[in-house]
Amino acid sequence: AMKDANAQIPYPEAGQVFDYKLDDGGASIFDDDEEEIKDRKICWEMWTKEMPELNITPESKFQDIIVPTMDTIRSEYLIEMLLVNKKQLMCIGPTGTGKSLTIANKLSLGMSEEYISNFLMFSARTSANQTQDIIDSKLDKRRKGVFGPPLGKEFVFFIDDFNMPALEIYGAQPPIELIRQWLDHKGWYDRKVIGSFKNLVDINFLIALGPPGGGRNPLTSRIVRHFNILTFCNLQDESKERIFNTILQNHLSSMPGGGHNLSLGVTKATIKVY
């Protein structure tokens, strides 16, 4: 369609539309130093163009190795864009798609110093009081009735397994209703001082959850409407190959006889058999 319309920047024919992002030529960069962007042109570029090189050290633990793929790069880009613009984010996907790992890696290493991350995990026994006490304990008093992080900072609360809390007698999930109260009214009531409302400022919520079933409950529209939704799909074969081949090749590189040359074939065969 773009070719038929004689678009000045036609979309690449190779791959899918999800494989590319638009490089605006530096138009969105507000910097006094324009030397780096004056020669840039507006174009479509692949997400993998700026994929960082992975350096796996011998002392690295297997569970701590994060191999960047097109899926993780896209997800981290959207996570940062939404958080910087102070939007709430809901990440949905089945088990094994890397939701928690991608989010934790982005919050821990990929955000500016302005953002301070706090990690929570819901379970079937999580209560609203526990949730309120944990969040309140992280905040400082700004002035009467107003609480928040240190000045110049913003807290991002990452809540994993968000839809795990058990239903109460009327079908609600109290911890989730507490979060919804902040989303609706930007605060909640102090349980120790009856009638005192606590305004919570400079905080944001990023949540992750799996599909209903296996102890997870469906969320109500009253809570979902507050969030931008980012879906994590099952890994494509290309991503699986890159992840496991990178780790296996690094492991075999220390062996004599060129064993690392076999890693790609072993990886492809394993994925096919699996």
Side-chain angles (χ1 to χ4, degrees), residues 56-256:
I56 303 177
T57 58
E59 59 271 10
S60 298
K61 296 181 180 178
F62 180 79
Q63 63 269 22
D64 295 332
I65 300 174
I66 301 177
V67 180
T69 65
M70 184 181 294
D71 296 316
T72 60
I73 292 174
R74 283 186 300 212
S75 299
E76 290 185 5
Y77 177 86
L78 293 172
I79 289 171
E80 181 175 3
M81 179 177 289
L82 289 165
L83 292 181
V84 167
N85 287 279
K86 305 186 186 306
K87 305 297 183 182
Q88 289 79 44
L89 176 60
M90 174 186 297
C91 297
I92 304 176
T95 302
T97 51
K99 301 184 301 296
S100 302
L101 191 63
T102 301
I103 294 170
N105 182 62
K106 183 61 180 177
L107 293 179
S108 301
L109 304 174
M111 299 294 291
S112 65
E113 296 182 356
E114 173 188 351
Y115 298 91
I116 302 175
S117 55
N118 294 275
F119 298 85
L120 291 81
M121 180 176 289
F122 280 178
S123 68
R125 303 189 63 176
T126 303
S127 68
N129 288 354
Q130 290 173 341
T131 305
Q132 182 175 354
D133 290 340
I134 292 173
I135 295 177
D136 283 346
S137 67
K138 306 290 184 181
L139 304 177
D140 300 332
K141 185 174 183 179
R142 295 275 185 90
R143 57 184 183 274
K144 183 178 180 180
V146 179
F147 298 81
L151 288 174
K153 303 292 184 180
E154 180 169 340
F155 276 162
V156 177
F157 288 98
F158 169 44
I159 305 178
D160 203 1
D161 291 331
F162 187 72
N163 56 345
M164 282 292 289
L167 303 177
E168 42 102 273
I169 188 172
Y170 298 105
Q173 295 168 279
I176 294 178
E177 293 303 310
L178 177 74
I179 303 301
R180 186 180 67 81
Q181 186 174 25
W182 180 86
L183 294 167
D184 283 330
H185 307 290
K186 301 304 177 188
W188 46 59
Y189 286 96
D190 191 331
R191 303 200 317 273
K192 298 178 181 178
V193 182
I194 304 302
S196 175
F197 190 81
K198 302 174 68 171
N199 292 283
L200 311 183
V201 299
D202 295 333
I203 68 173
N204 201 352
F205 287 94
L206 192 166
I207 65 176
L209 61 148
R216 300 183 179 91
N217 300 291
L219 299 180
T220 64
S221 299
R222 293 187 300 172
I223 183 72
V224 174
R225 71 185 183 92
H226 288 286
F227 289 89
N228 295 273
I229 299 176
L230 178 60
T231 303
F232 283 70
C233 302
N234 288 316
L235 291 176
Q236 301 174 355
D237 286 346
E238 293 80 2
S239 297
K240 293 177 184 177
E241 284 182 13
R242 172 172 169 76
I243 293 172
F244 296 116
N245 180 55
T246 301
I247 297 174
L248 181 59
Q249 191 172 40
N250 179 78
H251 177 70
L252 297 178
S253 62
S254 60
M255 298 183 179

